[in-house]
Amino acid sequence: MKNESTGLSKYAFSASLIFIALIYLPVNYFDTLKFDDIDLINRVHSTHQTFSWYEIFLEKNAVQYYRPLLEILSHLDYSLWGLSAAAWHLTNYILHILNAILVYLIASRWFSNEKMKSALASMAMLFFALNPMTCESVAWISGRSDLAGTFFSLFAIWGYFLKSRIRFFVVPTAILAGLLCKENALAVIPLIVLINMLSGLINKRSQKLIWRECLIWSGIVLIPLFVYIS
């Protein structure tokens, strides 16, 4: 019975992931779309030869928003694929698949029923990945900022659940990376503190310990914010 449950769990995740991949597969065959950021592609094309991976972090007025890591991802795309719009869409596609997997990994931490854990986490992954609001971010090159910011935000939440002390490095680093892709990664800062509080309540820790841990995590997640605004 245990082996059967394990097999069903693996099947739920694999089937859900394949379904998500197939649903979004057509975006890899798109040419440049009306709402793609053509100015970004042209700017990357014209500045690639003189692009400095270091100076981009110092030039806060180089573009409308301060998103240097997003700019680097665009230059990496150009280095690999040149002006192939389909390949740029492929990067969005891969990021969305990775985000879906991270949602699965995070969701599986919250379910204690071993037999249903994978099925419930797979359902959460499907709700996230197939949400109509995510379609534009995946289909348009201009939506890269949403996908990249979401990736690092989810990675920070996943890092929180790591058992070793490396999580105290992973979480703030991932938050900073998310902020350097899009400003809405700020939302993960209070979310980490809230998750820590809920984890303490679920595990029936003392209120004193819960508040102490929340204060510690508040300090940790505020570090990348101070670095970002400095």
Side-chain angles (χ1 to χ4, degrees):
M1 182 65 68
K2 184 177 180 180
N3 292 335
E4 183 179 348
S5 299
T6 302
L8 289 173
S9 295
K10 290 182 179 179
Y11 176 78
F13 169 73
S14 301
S16 300
L17 190 62
I18 291 171
F19 183 67
I20 293 167
L22 289 175
I23 289 292
Y24 285 97
L25 187 62
V27 305
N28 296 305
Y29 302 98
F30 290 168
D31 201 346
T32 305
L33 302 176
K34 180 179 179 180
F35 295 102
D36 282 336
D37 194 344
I38 307 301
D39 290 338
L40 168 65
I41 298 174
N42 291 334
R43 184 177 70 250
V44 170
H45 174 63
S46 61
T47 62
H48 186 69
Q49 296 300 325
T50 58
F51 176 72
S52 170
W53 291 31
Y54 168 73
E55 291 180 1
I56 191 62
F57 286 95
L58 304 178
E59 297 176 359
K60 294 191 176 183
N61 297 320
V63 292
Q64 184 178 1
Y65 301 102
Y66 182 61
R67 299 172 179 175
L69 189 53
L70 183 67
E71 194 83 359
I72 289 175
L73 290 174
S74 298
H75 279 274
L76 285 174
D77 255 348
Y78 185 83
S79 297
L80 292 171
W81 317 115
L83 294 174
S84 172
W88 285 55
H89 286 294
L90 174 63
T91 302
N92 281 25
Y93 176 78
I94 293 172
L95 278 172
H96 189 57
I97 297 296
L98 291 175
N99 287 343
I101 294 173
L102 282 171
V103 169
Y104 173 85
L105 294 174
I106 293 168
S108 64
R109 296 281 186 172
W110 290 97
F111 301 114
S112 57
N113 189 324
E114 292 297 329
K115 292 183 179 180
M116 294 296 295
K117 177 185 292 188
S118 183
L120 293 171
S122 296
M123 189 177 298
M125 179 175 68
L126 285 170
F127 278 128
F128 166 82
L130 302 181
N131 188 316
M133 295 186 67
T134 66
C135 294
E136 294 177 357
S137 299
V138 184
W140 300 347
I141 295 173
S142 56
R144 176 79 56 82
S145 59
D146 296 323
L147 297 172
T150 299
F151 171 79
F152 288 112
S153 297
L154 290 172
F155 196 84
I157 297 174
W158 172 80
Y160 168 82
F161 290 103
L162 294 175
K163 299 299 183 181
S164 65
R165 292 184 177 179
I166 195 174
R167 67 182 186 151
F168 297 115
F169 171 78
V170 171
V171 171
T173 302
I175 292 174
L176 179 60
L179 290 171
L180 296 177
C181 290
K182 192 165 185 178
E183 302 74 27
N184 60 7
L186 281 169
V188 80
I189 292 178
L191 189 57
I192 291 288
V193 179
L194 179 60
I195 290 173
N196 180 78
M197 182 177 293
L198 290 174
S199 297
L201 292 172
I202 291 172
N203 295 317
K204 298 181 179 180
R205 299 192 186 101
S206 66
Q207 289 190 2
K208 183 178 180 180
L209 181 58
I210 291 174
W211 283 111
R212 187 178 72 177
E213 289 181 346
C214 285
L215 286 174
I216 292 173
W217 275 108
S218 295
I220 292 172
V221 296
L222 284 174
I223 292 173
L225 177 60
F226 288 134
V227 173
Y228 175 74
I229 63 179
S230 64

